[in-house]
Amino acid sequence: MNRFPLSFSSLRARWRAGLPLRYTMMVVVVVGVTLPALLLLTLEQELAEKSQKALLAQSETALMKIGSVSIAEPMWVVDRVALDAAAVRLLESPQVVAVRIEDGLANTPELERVRPDYGKTLATETAAGSLTRRTQTVVRSGEVLGTLVVWFDATYGQGLLQARRSQMLSLVALQVLAILAVLMPVLVSRVLRPIERLKEQASALLDHGQDSTVDRARFVWRRQDELGLLGRHLGRVQEELRTLFGQLGTKNAQLQQMAFYDQLTGLPNRALFIDLVQREMLQAHRSQQQFGIFFIDLDRFKAVNDSMGHAAGDELLIEVARRLRDTLREVDVVCRQSGDEFLVMVSDIDHWESLGEMAERILRVVEEPVQLANTTVRVSASIGIALFPEDAQDFETLVKHADIAVYQAKTLGRARYSFFHSELNFRLQASLELEQQLAHAIAHGELVLHYQPQVDAMTGRLVAVEALVRWQHPTRGLLLPGQFIGLAEESGKIAEMGVWTLREACRQLADWKARGIHVGNMAVNVSALEFRDHRLLDSLQAALAASGIAPNELEIEITESVLMAETETSQRIIERLRQLGVGIAIDDFGTGYSSLAYLKRLRPNQLKIDRSFVNDADVDSDSRAIVRGVVGLANALGLNVVAEGVETVEQQAFLRESGCHTLQGYYIARPLAVDALEVWMAARHNKETA
Ligand code: C2E
Ligand code: CA
Ligand code: CA
């Protein structure tokens, strides 16, 4: 009782939820085709049954009539044989089951014939309705002879109807099958398959149109029906999505690039670097390994940036970044920390000394000349190295210690590397102190100038003295420039120091002149940094004015690094110096980035051959060749040549023979305090006159 409504409701639920299309189609076909056919069949059956009933009734009546007529004669003549034959004839009719002839006059015996194969009782079967009993009065010549009783098979004709029904049923079934056979392929090919494809296409849309493995050709629609239109539409949506997602992808990549990479150099930025270093820390911790952090700081980058412009500065940074990347190994990570500072993580090292070799390599590649616009620039770098886990166990401290090591490298004179050690902290403290003390030193007159003679190579006559600064430190004794010039440049004190040096040197020269002591010209060193400052000219003119010495008695020594970043300011200063008639000497000539072009443009008065060539002249034929070459060049340009660092008589002989004009060095005299110089001069004078 319960099952039907249950399955019906579940069917209804499934219908609501949406049967698969192919089942829906099948249900529609079966219901739409079968139901009308079955209805028709029932109606037709009913009609057939009705008409058959009428026909049977007619034929039964006819049989009764004929039967009664055929037995009238035998009954009349009381011919039992003929009567029997007539009854048998009647029984031959297929629908007749039994025949009885009853004699109305009762003089003829009753006759009853039943079909031999009929085994049931007539009375009960008649009562049950499976037999129809009919009677007919037998009349002859107006006289009633008896009654003919016939039992007809009530079910006769049912078999025919049954056969007809099953024929019709199979016909209907055939029809449904035929329709399904024709309709389903059409449905499948025209509707179901395209819908299936649309489904796939729509799923492909969900892949954000990014999945390149999706075969686009599969979704080309040629059909012109509604599904085809929908498919093409989907295709366009897909294309659009693909471009949209493509753009989104690029945007994402750009964002990623911006978030983790330096825009200028394309190197990882600090954020990404921190992440990578922290990972390396875990890794190194597990495997008990070391790695190093390099803090690389370009020396005097600010000067290039200020003098040549930011575009040139940027170009320089890009080039340095490229060189760093090219020099380092795959496993190393280089990042731009900020400005001209770079951080490098050097992992996978076998011993810490190899970090030094790596730093050395970096220093070398950074120092290679860089072509910027029309100028060749050379920069150097200072590198501080901190070791994990010895120097620090966390990122911030590790970098801080590397930074301290850089500072150390800078105070040691730049263009070098330095390891962080805890004792470095101490030294750093010391140099910080020194830096602070330097400010007082200038004001408190702790700076002194020593003077080193320059003599004519041939005659030995004193032609000039070079002023070299010293710091009479209250507790540390006499400090040489190498111990504090770097600090002075770093802290900006160099300008103040320069002003003092110029004034003091000029004052001293004037003092000697006033006292009749002839030392020749006064050479003063001016640091490259000072050459970027317009105030240099003012202080120089002030020094000349205050001392009253002639401009041509003063010589300014500049190193090639000034010319390296030849700027408008430095050019103007040099131009003004020449106009004033102040001499210009190129110091340490041959060690820098000599370009003959600037010699021609600048027209210095003299070249000072670097000490290293003079020193090596004894042993190295290349150095000898360089000295001769410089002398030749200077002669061709009409410049004076000074050889620095002459320490031996052999060197003096070689330099004389090579044609050097002026000699300076310990062999002639060390840098001397004023008194000492005067004593030295007096001694020489005595020797000459003796
Ligand atoms: P520099 O201009 O090349 O000066 C020559 C340096 O060589 C001096 O060192 C001098 O003592 C040294 N020297 C001279 N003859 C010999 C020799 O025969 N053998 C050897 N081994 N050395 C010799 P100092 O005085 O220590 O100065 C070092 C540098 O400091 C100078 O190199 C110069 O660049 C810079 N400096 C010195 N005084 C000043 C200054 O007042 N202002 C600036 N901006 N820089 C200065
Ligand atoms: Ca010098
Ligand atoms: Ca020099």
Side-chain angles (χ1 to χ4, degrees):
M1 241 327 247
N2 253 343
R3 276 181 62 187
F4 178 71
L6 222 165
S7 63
F8 176 72
S9 66
S10 71
L11 209 71
R12 212 172 54 169
R14 288 204 63 176
W15 180 264
R16 284 234 179 103
L19 270 181
L21 213 53
R22 64 180 73 222
Y23 296 133
T24 311
M25 287 298 173
M26 248 140 86
V27 168
V28 167
V29 167
V30 169
V31 172
V33 175
T34 319
L35 270 188
L38 284 179
L39 209 69
L40 208 72
L41 192 68
T42 326
L43 278 174
E44 199 266 357
Q45 281 286 319
E46 227 160 81
L47 262 164
E49 227 174 280
K50 257 186 206 155
S51 62
Q52 201 188 37
K53 258 186 194 147
L55 271 174
L56 279 175
Q58 262 177 8
S59 85
E60 280 172 15
T61 317
L63 263 175
M64 293 304 286
K65 284 257 167 70
I66 293 162
S68 68
V69 170
S70 68
I71 63 170
E73 193 58 33
M75 276 186 88
W76 182 261
V77 293
V78 196
D79 184 349
R80 277 200 61 91
V81 178
L83 212 58
D84 220 26
V88 169
R89 261 203 310 283
L90 270 174
L91 271 178
E92 280 170 359
S93 291
Q95 68 263 54
V96 177
V97 173
V99 178
R100 181 193 285 171
I101 301 165
E102 289 169 356
D103 192 354
L105 301 173
N107 56 351
T108 325
E110 193 177 287
L111 182 141
E112 191 175 89
R113 284 280 181 271
V114 182
R115 206 185 274 171
D117 55 342
Y118 196 77
K120 298 172 186 161
T121 13
L122 295 176
T124 50
E125 286 304 297
T126 313
S130 59
L131 293 180
T132 328
R133 185 173 175 276
R134 279 177 179 269
T135 53
Q136 176 75 44
T137 325
V138 184
V139 180
R140 187 171 184 278
S141 312
E143 192 181 336
V144 176
L145 297 178
T147 316
L148 172 66
V149 186
V150 177
W151 284 269
F152 289 96
D153 184 355
T155 59
Y156 181 73
Q158 293 291 311
L160 273 178
L161 272 175
Q162 195 65 45
R164 197 190 153 101
R165 188 179 296 136
S166 51
Q167 267 178 4
M168 286 302 278
L169 261 177
S170 31
L171 216 67
V172 167
L174 210 69
Q175 190 183 5
V176 168
L177 283 179
I179 287 175
L180 279 178
V182 173
L183 209 60
M184 281 320 274
V186 173
L187 252 174
V188 167
S189 75
R190 306 293 299 178
V191 180
L192 293 180
R193 285 237 184 88
I195 285 180
E196 206 58 43
R197 263 181 83 195
L198 280 174
K199 232 168 74 190
E200 273 178 44
Q201 198 174 353
S203 315
L205 278 186
L206 287 182
D207 298 338
H208 305 323
Q210 283 179 324
D211 193 353
S212 53
T213 57
V214 173
D215 178 13
R216 294 188 198 189
R218 240 174 57 213
F219 300 126
V220 172
W221 293 84
R222 292 193 208 294
R223 44 194 312 156
Q224 297 298 324
D225 59 7
E226 292 85 340
L227 292 178
L229 276 176
L230 186 59
R232 277 196 288 281
H233 192 68
L234 265 184
R236 274 199 297 280
V237 170
Q238 190 166 22
E239 279 311 317
E240 212 121 285
L241 270 183
R242 192 173 285 131
T243 31
L244 269 178
F245 276 103
Q247 286 167 354
L248 208 67
T250 348
K251 270 270 136 51
N252 264 343
Q254 280 170 356
L255 278 178
Q256 171 96 355
Q257 181 77 21
M258 270 161 74
F260 293 115
Y261 292 88
D262 173 45
Q263 289 306 288
L264 180 67
T265 59
L267 291 179
N269 64 12
R270 196 178 147 90
L272 179 56
F273 189 73
I274 291 177
D275 190 50
L276 295 172
V277 170
Q278 276 166 349
R279 270 178 222 210
E280 184 66 26
M281 280 177 171
L282 289 178
Q283 171 72 29
H285 189 73
R286 266 199 299 272
S287 52
Q288 304 241 302
Q289 280 186 317
Q290 301 176 298
F291 70 86
I293 292 288
F294 286 11
F295 196 117
I296 304 177
D297 191 309
L298 297 186
D299 301 328
R300 302 193 182 93
F301 169 74
K302 196 177 170 316
V304 175
N305 213 28
D306 291 350
S307 56
M308 299 181 68
H310 288 276
D314 284 355
E315 233 180 287
L316 178 63
L317 287 175
I318 291 169
E319 176 59 17
V320 169
R322 194 188 61 75
R323 289 182 188 180
L324 287 177
R325 228 179 352 223
D326 288 354
T327 313
L328 293 162
R329 304 159 306 163
E330 277 293 294
V331 291
D332 305 326
V333 184
V334 55
C335 117
R336 179 157 172 239
Q337 143 109 339
S338 67
D340 62 339
E341 296 170 349
F342 298 87
L343 290 174
V344 180
M345 174 172 68
V346 184
S347 40
D348 209 9
I349 45 167
D350 27 332
H351 50 97
W352 66 269
E353 289 92 338
S354 58
L355 289 173
E357 289 156 22
M358 180 80 79
E360 201 68 64
R361 257 212 316 279
I362 291 176
L363 290 177
R364 271 203 306 275
V365 295
V366 171
E367 282 171 27
E368 301 267 306
V370 184
Q371 192 68 39
L372 293 185
N374 310 323
T375 339
T376 305
V377 165
R378 281 178 84 149
V379 288
S380 58
S382 300
I383 303 179
I385 306 172
L387 271 175
F388 175 89
E390 286 82 347
D391 293 339
Q393 312 245 347
D394 66 287
F395 179 83
E396 291 302 336
T397 322
L398 200 59
V399 169
K400 199 180 97 198
H401 287 178
D403 192 7
I404 289 171
V406 165
Y407 196 89
Q408 180 68 19
K410 292 220 177 235
T411 50
L412 287 176
R414 296 205 178 89
R416 68 190 66 212
Y417 67 88
S418 179
F419 278 94
F420 173 83
H421 298 297
S422 31
E423 116 229 17
L424 273 186
N425 256 336
F426 173 75
R427 281 208 248 158
L428 174 76
Q429 208 54 47
S431 54
L432 278 175
E433 253 169 48
L434 207 63
E435 193 179 307
Q436 283 159 6
Q437 291 164 353
L438 192 61
H440 294 276
I442 300 166
H444 290 72
E446 287 172 14
L447 294 183
V448 284
L449 290 180
H450 283 193
Y451 300 91
Q452 187 174 31
Q454 297 178 357
V455 299
D456 186 293
M458 292 330 241
T459 64
R461 194 173 53 91
L462 181 64
V463 290
V465 290
E466 178 180 0
L468 294 161
V469 71
R470 268 94 181 99
W471 179 2
Q472 190 63 57
H473 192 275
T475 55
R476 295 168 68 175
L478 192 71
L479 300 180
L480 291 175
Q483 290 166 283
F484 60 91
I485 290 266
L487 275 180
E489 289 183 336
E490 202 77 52
S491 62
K493 293 277 174 314
I494 190 73
E496 208 181 321
M497 224 182 79
V499 172
W500 177 84
T501 309
L502 270 171
R503 207 183 45 223
E504 173 60 17
C506 290
R507 190 202 59 75
Q508 183 59 53
L509 186 62
D511 181 57
W512 274 323
K513 279 174 73 179
R515 288 162 49 208
I517 300 171
H518 180 79
V519 295
N521 284 349
M522 175 63 71
V524 178
N525 292 284
V526 175
S527 129
L529 271 185
E530 294 173 72
F531 253 84
R532 306 212 177 87
D533 194 337
H534 294 277
R535 286 170 298 183
L536 175 67
L537 278 172
D538 297 337
S539 45
L540 190 127
Q541 276 172 299
L544 289 175
S547 61
I549 67 164
N552 62 4
E553 290 176 296
L554 185 67
E555 232 160 54
I556 297 298
E557 295 197 2
I558 53 179
T559 54
E560 283 166 308
S561 59
V562 172
L563 310 154
M564 158 198 108
E566 207 191 320
T567 66
E568 257 180 63
T569 312
S570 63
Q571 241 171 357
R572 217 166 320 130
I573 291 175
I574 290 168
E575 195 60 45
R576 277 294 289 150
L577 288 180
R578 269 229 313 266
Q579 283 172 5
L580 281 171
V582 172
I584 299 168
I586 308 293
D587 208 353
D588 305 344
F589 188 77
T591 55
Y593 4 83
S594 310
S595 138
L596 296 181
Y598 80 66
L599 279 188
K600 197 172 147 224
R601 197 167 55 245
L602 201 71
R603 289 283 169 177
N605 305 70
Q606 57 184 13
L607 302 181
K608 295 188 75 175
I609 302 181
D610 190 65
R611 237 192 358 256
S612 56
F613 303 114
V614 175
N615 247 295
D616 294 351
D618 298 352
V619 287
D620 182 20
S621 59
D622 284 347
S623 290
R624 282 199 293 276
I626 288 172
V627 171
R628 289 202 189 96
V630 172
V631 173
L633 177 73
N635 282 335
L637 293 172
L639 311 179
N640 193 53
V641 181
V642 183
E644 285 190 302
V646 186
E647 291 182 347
T648 62
V649 66
E650 291 84 6
Q651 286 167 1
Q652 174 175 272
F654 164 72
L655 291 162
R656 271 184 181 156
E657 173 222 316
S658 308
C660 272
H661 309 109
T662 311
L663 304 182
Q664 177 184 356
Y666 292 173
Y667 181 69
I668 292 110
R670 291 189 170 252
L672 301 165
V674 175
D675 301 344
L677 183 83
E678 286 170 13
V679 170
W680 177 82
M681 283 179 72
R684 258 171 91 92
H685 182 75
N686 291 342
K687 222 191 279 173
E688 271 167 29
T689 49

